Amino acid sequence: MIPTIKWEDNCIYIIDQRKLPRKKEWLVCQTLKDVITAIREMAIRGAPAIGVAAAMGLALGSQTIKTESYEIFRRRFLEMARQMKLARPTAANMRWAAERMIRVVEMMDDNNVEEIKRAVRKESQSILDRDIEINKKIGQNGLGFIPDKATILTHCNAGALATGGYGTALGVIRAAHEAGKDVHVIVDETRPLLQGIRLTAFELMEENIPVTVIVDSASGYLMQKKMIDLVITGADRIASNGDTANKIGSYQLAVLAKVNKIPFYVAAPLSTFDPDLKNGDLIPIEEREPKEVISFAGHLLGPEGVDAFNPAFDITPAKYISAIITERGILKPPYKGSIRALFGTDVK
Ligand code: MRU
């Protein structure tokens, strides 16, 4: 399985996903700024993966803070975390990871700064290692939704590359394949950045899992023709009522699945939940540059000067989601109750 990110020789190595599947190249990040740029420019992407990158980036940044004063260290670390959280706005995992790192710093207020730097680095590694374990658990928890023979539609990339490893939605598919189930995956190409055809198809082929790529607009046709047994996607942020942000196009898949009586599942770790948000309307949706829509690989596709709008995510209302698969088990509607049971009574 292709690795996503690793820490080596006081640098962060990121597989540059912009170059996949043609080239497997490590991008070496030596500073916090390098990591923020890698996230913003999507050398690394996918909610859990950018959470791990945020944690590691903060560990890297913390090493450059030259002071023996806890207060100065803390202030500079908080500023780094603030900058990191701004890199991409939709995925909850970025904020979750940054908050975990801040908690380590704040709990060590009577330790010396060098010890705190070591603890912060250790925490970032444990966020990576734990993410892989969590995904394997999600895979096992989702197995019951996959028939022994199934054609599964997925969107974008919620695989090893989108996480610390193994994947969420693709983790469930991987687990089904490992359990001997006969799965065939239909992958939306996922315009404009083509995470489906470039990354998901690549990951599945590496594992010898049968895969067929379709253009995004073909999914309704396949559902109508009963060529899809279930849909499974990842998530970037899940509000306390179950409304889910994921790659643009997920909402229309969920509606089409409902109309065609096909189950639509979301697979996500608890770090993707935002129990402070009442509903999906409050999830910030990243708008990326129009050039991603109007050009590809440096070639302009449309007429010179054409306008384009490029929201990177959309919100699938909870009512279209058949179940949410987490490392702690399956959440079923009504989600408000099941999410409250997971996160405690103070969810919004
Ligand atoms: O813009 P991206 O490529 O970061 O979007 C990724 C997705 O939408 C994934 O489906 C989501 O982050 C879940 S990844 C396990």
Side-chain angles (χ1 to χ4, degrees):
M1 202 179 314
I2 190 162
T4 315
I5 183 167
K6 63 179 182 182
W7 177 290
E8 221 171 83
D9 304 327
N10 269 344
C11 293
I12 297 170
Y13 286 71
I14 284 171
I15 282 284
D16 192 338
Q17 297 190 31
R18 296 166 299 187
K19 304 207 169 143
L20 287 172
R22 299 274 86 79
K23 287 189 194 150
K24 290 182 198 167
E25 260 178 32
W26 289 105
L27 175 74
V28 185
C29 297
Q30 293 176 306
T31 63
L32 172 79
K33 195 160 165 264
D34 289 347
V35 180
I36 292 178
T37 305
I39 293 173
R40 203 170 278 145
E41 295 182 355
M42 294 178 66
I44 184 163
R45 33 66 48 202
I50 60 179
V52 172
M56 284 196 167
L58 288 172
L60 193 63
S62 75
Q63 303 205 342
T64 62
I65 305 176
K66 302 277 176 260
T67 179
E68 288 180 6
S69 148
Y70 172 78
E71 261 324 309
I72 296 175
F73 178 83
R74 177 178 169 275
R75 212 174 323 124
R76 303 255 309 267
F77 190 85
L78 287 179
E79 174 52 23
M80 287 178 173
R82 192 191 65 78
Q83 286 170 26
M84 180 57 87
K85 286 185 209 166
L86 296 174
R88 291 191 74 192
T90 302
N93 311 59
M94 294 275 291
R95 198 187 60 179
W96 172 87
E99 293 299 331
R100 260 186 74 153
M101 301 296 279
I102 291 171
R103 215 172 316 134
V104 171
V105 171
E106 298 198 323
M107 275 167 50
M108 293 186 74
D109 55 350
D110 52 3
N111 288 72
N112 79 47
V113 167
E114 289 313 308
E115 276 167 349
I116 303 176
K117 287 181 185 173
R118 276 194 293 278
V120 154
R121 157 77 192 108
K122 202 164 152 219
E123 180 73 356
S124 72
Q125 187 62 42
S126 91
I127 288 177
L128 168 60
D129 298 340
R130 178 87 186 109
D131 187 61
I132 301 171
E133 288 167 22
I134 286 172
N135 293 332
K136 291 188 172 160
K137 194 91 190 69
I138 290 175
Q140 291 305 313
N141 289 345
L143 267 185
F145 290 130
I146 314 291
D148 288 343
K149 184 171 169 52
T151 304
I152 306 171
L153 176 66
T154 191
H155 190 61
C156 194
N157 172 266
L161 289 162
T163 61
Y166 203 76
T168 55
L170 231 50
V172 175
I173 292 170
R174 212 184 285 277
H177 176 73
E178 285 165 4
K181 299 195 183 203
D182 181 4
V183 290
H184 178 187
V185 187
I186 307 292
V187 175
D188 278 346
E189 57 176 350
T190 318
R191 280 275 291 149
L193 296 181
L194 302 176
Q195 290 93 328
I197 186 170
R198 289 189 306 107
L199 308 175
T200 301
F202 165 71
E203 280 195 40
L204 290 166
M205 286 183 78
E206 274 209 324
E207 302 280 317
N208 289 319
I209 300 176
V211 51
T212 302
V213 174
I214 58 170
V215 296
D216 298 328
S217 41
S219 48
Y221 173 77
L222 270 75
M223 289 195 219
Q224 195 180 43
K225 292 289 176 194
K226 309 212 176 309
M227 293 163 77
I228 305 288
D229 297 310
L230 62 115
V231 183
I232 183 163
T233 71
D236 283 81
R237 200 187 287 222
I238 302 174
S240 69
N241 68 344
D243 290 354
T244 294
N246 192 50
K247 178 54 54 197
I248 191 79
S250 301
Y251 166 46
Q252 64 209 39
L253 286 183
V255 175
L256 281 164
K258 184 84 165 183
V259 169
N260 288 285
K261 301 189 173 43
I262 295 167
F264 181 95
Y265 302 115
V266 169
L270 297 194
S271 52
T272 300
F273 286 74
D274 189 344
D276 291 339
L277 286 192
K278 202 165 183 304
N279 59 50
D281 288 345
L282 301 165
I283 299 177
I285 297 295
E286 176 181 6
E287 287 175 18
R288 296 186 61 84
E289 286 192 47
K291 73 170 185 223
E292 290 179 351
V293 174
I294 61 177
S295 53
F296 186 71
H299 298 286
L300 186 66
L301 302 172
E304 194 81 53
V306 68
D307 186 27
F309 177 49
N310 188 15
F313 302 95
D314 59 24
I315 308 291
T316 299
K319 65 180 177 190
Y320 297 118
I321 301 172
S322 313
I324 304 176
I325 306 160
T326 78
E327 69 271 35
R328 289 261 196 92
I330 307 298
L331 304 185
K332 289 266 181 65
Y335 293 108
K336 215 175 176 65
S338 47
I339 293 174
R340 182 169 288 145
L342 266 188
F343 288 91
T345 45
D346 51 340
V347 298
K348 297 279 180 303

